[in-house]
Coordinates of all heavy atoms in Angstrom, one line a residue:
M78 N 22.4 124.0 19.5 CA 23.7 123.5 19.9 C 23.8 122.0 19.7 O 22.9 121.2 20.1 CB 23.8 123.9 21.4 CG 25.2 123.5 22.0 SD 25.4 124.0 23.7 CE 24.2 122.9 24.5
D90 N 30.2 93.4 31.9 CA 28.8 93.4 31.6 C 28.2 92.0 31.6 O 27.1 91.7 31.1 CB 28.5 94.0 30.2 CG 29.3 93.3 29.1 OD1 30.0 92.4 29.4 OD2 29.1 93.7 27.9
I107 N 46.3 104.6 21.0 CA 46.6 105.0 19.6 C 45.4 104.7 18.7 O 45.1 105.5 17.8 CB 47.9 104.2 19.1 CG1 49.1 104.6 19.9 CG2 48.1 104.3 17.6 CD1 50.3 103.8 19.6
Q110 N 42.8 107.4 19.1 CA 43.2 108.6 18.4 C 43.1 108.5 16.9 O 42.6 109.5 16.2 CB 44.7 109.0 18.8 CG 44.8 109.4 20.2 CD 46.3 109.5 20.6 OE1 47.2 109.1 19.9 NE2 46.6 110.2 21.7
M114 N 40.5 110.6 14.4 CA 41.0 111.5 13.3 C 40.5 111.0 12.0 O 40.1 111.9 11.2 CB 42.6 111.3 13.3 CG 43.3 112.0 12.2 SD 45.1 111.8 12.3 CE 45.2 110.0 11.9
A144 N 41.6 93.0 39.1 CA 40.3 92.5 39.3 C 39.2 93.3 38.6 O 38.2 92.7 38.1 CB 40.0 92.6 40.8
D145 N 39.3 94.6 38.5 CA 38.3 95.4 37.9 C 38.8 96.5 37.0 O 38.3 97.6 37.0 CB 37.4 96.0 39.0 CG 38.2 96.8 40.0 OD1 39.5 96.9 39.9 OD2 37.6 97.3 41.0
S151 N 39.6 97.0 20.2 CA 39.5 97.7 18.8 C 38.1 97.8 18.3 O 37.8 98.9 17.8 CB 40.4 96.9 17.8 OG 40.0 95.6 17.7
P159 N 32.8 110.1 18.4 CA 31.8 111.1 18.1 C 31.1 111.0 16.7 O 29.9 111.3 16.6 CB 32.5 112.4 18.3 CG 33.7 112.1 19.2 CD 34.1 110.7 18.8
P187 N 22.8 100.5 19.5 CA 21.6 100.0 18.7 C 21.5 100.8 17.4 O 21.8 102.0 17.4 CB 20.4 100.3 19.7 CG 20.9 101.3 20.6 CD 22.4 101.1 20.8
D203 N 37.3 87.2 0.9 CA 36.5 87.3 -0.3 C 35.0 87.6 0.0 O 34.4 88.4 -0.6 CB 36.5 86.0 -1.2 CG 37.9 85.8 -1.8 OD1 38.5 86.8 -2.2 OD2 38.3 84.7 -2.0
D254 N 56.3 87.1 18.1 CA 56.1 85.8 17.5 C 57.3 85.5 16.6 O 57.8 84.4 16.6 CB 54.8 85.9 16.7 CG 54.6 84.6 15.9 OD1 54.9 83.5 16.3 OD2 54.1 84.8 14.7
I270 N 56.3 82.6 6.9 CA 56.8 83.9 6.4 C 56.5 84.0 4.9 O 56.3 85.1 4.4 CB 58.3 84.1 6.8 CG1 58.5 83.9 8.3 CG2 58.7 85.5 6.3 CD1 57.7 84.9 9.1
E278 N 61.5 83.8 -1.6 CA 62.9 84.1 -1.8 C 63.6 85.0 -0.7 O 64.7 85.3 -0.8 CB 63.1 84.8 -3.2 CG 62.8 83.9 -4.4 CD 61.3 83.8 -4.6 OE1 60.5 84.6 -4.1 OE2 60.9 82.8 -5.3
A314 N 55.2 104.2 6.1 CA 55.0 103.3 7.1 C 56.3 103.0 7.9 O 56.3 102.9 9.1 CB 54.5 102.0 6.6

Side-chain angles (χ1 to χ4, degrees):
M78 182 176 68
D90 59 356
I107 293 171
Q110 292 174 345
M114 177 181 67
D145 55 2
S151 61
D203 289 327
D254 173 38
I270 305 302
E278 293 77 18

